[in-house]
Amino acid sequence: MFEGGAPVVKDVVDGADEHLIGEAEKIAVALGRMFPGLCEVVLHDLRDPRHAIRAIENNLSGRRVGDSATELGLARIADPKYPSVLQNYPNRFPDGRPVKSTSIGLKNAAGEYIAALCLNLDVSVLSPVTLALSNLVATETEHREQPLETLRDRNTRELRQTVEELAAERAATPRSLSRQDKKALVRQLYQDGYFDSRDAAQTIADLLGVSRATVYNYSK
């Protein structure tokens, strides 16, 4: 029997630490299998830095279970105040492929780092996709400020609103516009494509208080 029960306490602590790392291993496996061929997930057991890699899913770096801890792992072992989460920092695989990495340090109840869960996203796979998507959605620069067309139906409500706005710019209502202003307004509507919709001419005629034939004459 040991005086003070110190070995028993140590066994309890070690058991709790092992349980925590075991739970983290489940997460590592699940994350790796969710992103096959794209994201490497590594669980480091920082209690044994010489053989830290406890699990590695979706292996993209060529490392193996039992390999040593990285510089980040050693930094956490040396300093419990080291940041627990390092998010989206640039990294590289041994063959030079660019990587976006995130490292999450796990502490036990005593506040000591005992493990680290690391995600390494192979962005070299995504770069061609990103470029292809950028090219796909790109538009000609000369037409970005003023679209050549509006891809929607020129319905009666929109037409009425446009006529009222154009009349308001001349400090008048549609019916009170002068003949010349009505002609200019109709020509503007024609140029903007409002005559492409059905019954547009009759709607404009009703708004301006003129005949449909007059609207067609104004549009010429």
Side-chain angles (χ1 to χ4, degrees), residues 161-213:
Q161 180 178 349
T162 301
V163 170
E164 291 175 349
E165 288 176 352
L166 290 174
E169 291 176 2
R170 296 169 171 81
T173 63
R175 286 177 173 264
S176 66
L177 289 170
S178 66
R179 181 175 179 277
Q180 286 302 116
D181 284 341
K182 287 181 180 180
K183 183 181 292 187
L185 185 149
V186 170
R187 288 180 178 175
Q188 182 65 51
L189 294 173
Y190 182 82
Q191 291 173 4
D192 290 346
Y194 282 93
F195 278 72
D196 294 339
S197 63
R198 187 176 60 181
D199 298 329
Q202 186 59 58
T203 300
I204 296 169
D206 293 341
L207 290 169
L208 297 181
V210 298
S211 68
R212 182 173 179 177

Side-chain angles (χ1 to χ4, degrees), residues 97-114:
R97 284 174 295 164
V99 178
K100 183 171 77 170
S101 296
T102 291
S103 178
I104 306 166
L106 304 176
K107 291 183 178 181
N108 61 12
E112 303 167 330
Y113 281 115
I114 61 169

Side-chain angles (χ1 to χ4, degrees), residues 47-64:
R47 300 173 301 176
D48 184 8
R50 290 179 178 270
H51 308 92
I53 294 184
R54 169 79 170 254
I56 182 166
E57 282 291 323
N58 209 16
N59 193 333
L60 300 175
S61 63
R63 292 174 293 173
R64 298 178 180 179

